[in-house]
Each structure stands twice: as C-alpha cells, then as structure tokens.
Amino acid sequence: MDLTLLIWYFFCYSILGYIVEVLYCSIRQGTFVNRGFLHGPYLPIYGFGAVLVIFVFARFSHNPLILFFIAVIGTSILEYATGYLSETLFSIRLWDYSSTRFNLKGRVCLLNSTLFGLLSLFVTYGVHPHLSAIFDHFTPAFMEHGAKIIIVLLSVDTTSSVLGMSAFQKQLAEFREKRGEIENRLKVLHEFKENKMLEGLRVKLDTELDELRMRLSISAKRILHAFPSLTSSNEEKRLLLEALRKTIRETALHKKLHDKNHRSDKRDD
C-alpha cells in the first residue's frame, strides 16, 4: 500500500469519524457537542480504525458477518488501548463507560463496539469504493503534496493539544494546592472570635477561591464539553472535575438568563 494514499485515507476517515461522533453525541444531548482531543474537525482513532478494517481485515471482506465480528474485536482493542494510553499519559479518563452494561474497565462497552462493527461494514462496502474512485482522479503530485500538508497539520495540532492537556493538568494541580492553602487559612480563622476584620478576610479568601475556580472552568470548558464523561481514578481530582462541570453549567445558565432579560429589556424600550 502506497504510504501517501494511506495518509489520505487515514485523514478522510478521521474527518468522517468526527462527523459521525458529533452527530451521534449532539443528537443524544440535544445540543452541539464538539468532540475530540484535537482542535481540528477530525478524530484520529476513527482514522486508525478505518485503516485497520479496510486494509488489515480486507481478507474477510467477502463475508460481512465475519468482517463484522473481526471489526468489533479489532476496534475494541484499539479503543481500549487508546483509553489506557490517555490514562497513563495524563492520569485522566477521556471517556468512561462504567455506567454502561457489558463494559471492560470503563474503556470499552458492548454497545459502542457493536456500533463500531456496523460502521466498519458501512465504510467497507459503502464509503471506501467511492472514496477510492475519487482518489484515482487526483494526480500523484497533488496526492504527495497533500499528504505532506496533512502530516504537518496533524503534527502541529497533536503537539498543541498535548501541550494544552498538560497545561490543564498543571492548572488542576495548582488549583488543588492553592485551594488547600486557602481552606487551611479559613479553618484557622474559624478558631478565632468573630470580628469585622476577620470576616473581611474570610470573604476575601472565599472570593479568591471562586475566582480560581472560574478561571480553571474557562480553561476546562472545551475539554469537558468534548469529553462529557471525562473523569479520573483520583477521587480528589474526580470531585474537582465534577465541581468544574457544575460551575460551567451555572455560568451558562446565568448567561442565558442574562441574555434573555437583556432581550426583554430591549423589547420594552
């Protein structure tokens, strides 16, 4: 298989996977959900999965039933490995199927594996023949230059996203440390008798803590929206992520009410 063509297939199926994932999640949640670890409209795990099914499992394409089961197993291994890798690198779970029946350590579940199997059949028999025919019309020079651009694009995006996740992890750690310091100070203050100066200090510390949480929620907004089930095996970090989700929801609700009142005031004027 020509490497240039392989890169194009990988990229196209990554985009197709993004479209499928966004539609599936947006319909389920009733609002637009921008899925994915990367910034661009592509999900590499789907690209890897499609390449695996189309080229590695091509020998089974004569029998849809066998291909389905092989694809279910292959894509499940891929998803499990990706989940394990993200947990190892970032100590965080980008998705969690623990609440879904027939799951394996929350990294894969029967429902999604079945859907991946069906999607593999759709790609193999419905999409790939047409995409292959389209690529036949492009010149080798166009394909080669395009492949180089794709590699640069994905490399830059991946680097930026990894650095972004690392920065988010650092922010989480700094917030937890700062929160611990503020809470310790508040505990000390509670041991003293009430007076105006101490009450003012308590209010200042509470405000500082709220501001820290708000800044962190702004940084976390895209990541938490892209991965609604993002969690951590660390209990303190898990609770912090839940608190951030609550802050984001409350901020969105407050903004919605503010915009509604603003429109109402305009109509009254």
Side-chain angles (χ1 to χ4, degrees):
M1 168 58 64
D2 180 34
L3 180 59
T4 296
L5 192 58
L6 197 64
I7 292 171
W8 271 97
Y9 281 132
F10 168 80
F11 186 63
C12 289
Y13 286 122
S14 295
I15 294 175
L16 178 62
Y18 172 84
I19 295 171
V20 170
E21 185 89 4
V22 167
L23 286 175
Y24 177 72
C25 295
S26 298
I27 291 173
R28 290 187 65 183
Q29 297 187 32
T31 184
F32 176 74
V33 180
N34 183 23
R35 296 284 285 177
F37 177 73
L38 302 182
H39 298 291
Y42 31 72
L43 290 172
I45 190 171
Y46 281 89
F48 284 118
V51 168
L52 182 69
V53 170
I54 292 169
F55 299 109
V56 179
F57 301 154
R59 70 189 72 176
F60 304 107
S61 61
H62 64 281
N63 189 319
L65 186 60
I66 294 178
L67 178 61
F68 170 77
F69 284 109
I70 294 295
V72 166
I73 296 171
T75 55
S76 296
I77 292 174
L78 177 62
E79 186 178 32
Y80 188 94
T82 304
Y84 176 80
L85 186 62
S86 69
E87 291 172 40
T88 303
L89 291 176
F90 303 113
S91 300
I92 210 164
R93 288 189 144 191
L94 296 177
W95 61 82
D96 188 3
Y97 301 135
S98 297
S99 60
T100 306
R101 296 181 64 188
F102 309 113
N103 72 85
L104 182 59
K105 295 187 177 181
R107 296 181 185 126
V108 295
C109 67
L110 182 60
L111 174 61
N112 277 38
S113 295
T114 302
L115 292 176
F116 286 145
L118 294 173
L119 187 59
S120 298
L121 295 182
F122 173 68
V123 167
T124 300
Y125 302 114
V127 178
H128 189 68
H130 298 289
L131 186 59
S132 179
I134 291 173
F135 285 154
D136 286 340
H137 290 86
F138 295 147
T139 64
F142 174 85
M143 296 291 288
E144 184 177 345
H145 291 309
K148 291 178 181 177
I149 293 173
I150 290 171
I151 291 174
V152 172
L153 175 65
L154 292 178
S155 298
V156 171
D157 198 340
T158 301
T159 302
S160 173
S161 298
V162 169
L163 291 176
M165 180 60 80
S166 298
F168 176 59
Q169 290 285 76
K170 185 178 179 181
Q171 282 183 298
L172 284 177
E174 290 176 347
F175 174 83
R176 290 160 65 190
E177 182 180 355
K178 190 67 175 179
R179 182 181 64 180
E181 293 175 1
I182 292 175
E183 289 176 346
N184 287 335
R185 291 179 189 175
L186 288 171
K187 286 179 182 178
V188 172
L189 290 177
H190 281 304
E191 296 176 1
F192 294 92
K193 292 182 180 180
E194 295 288 336
N195 63 62
K196 289 184 178 180
M197 186 178 73
L198 291 179
E199 184 58 31
L201 184 56
R202 288 193 189 95
V203 172
K204 182 180 179 181
L205 288 173
D206 284 333
T207 302
E208 185 178 347
L209 187 60
D210 287 338
E211 289 176 351
L212 283 171
R213 185 180 292 108
M214 184 60 67
R215 286 200 296 269
L216 183 59
S217 68
I218 292 173
S219 301
K221 187 175 181 180
R222 192 196 78 84
I223 294 175
L224 293 179
H225 277 186
F227 300 98
S229 60
L230 183 144
T231 186
S232 173
S233 56
N234 181 284
E235 182 65 13
E236 184 183 359
K237 188 182 287 187
R238 185 188 68 80
L239 293 174
L240 176 55
L241 290 170
E242 289 301 319
L244 287 173
R245 285 191 180 90
K246 182 179 179 181
T247 300
I248 291 171
R249 287 195 299 267
E250 290 175 349
T251 301
L253 179 61
H254 178 75
K255 184 178 184 302
K256 185 177 180 180
L257 291 173
H258 178 270
D259 292 343
K260 183 178 179 181
N261 292 334
H262 182 67
R263 288 194 298 269
S264 178
D265 291 342
K266 274 192 170 183
R267 285 196 297 268
D268 292 340
D269 291 342

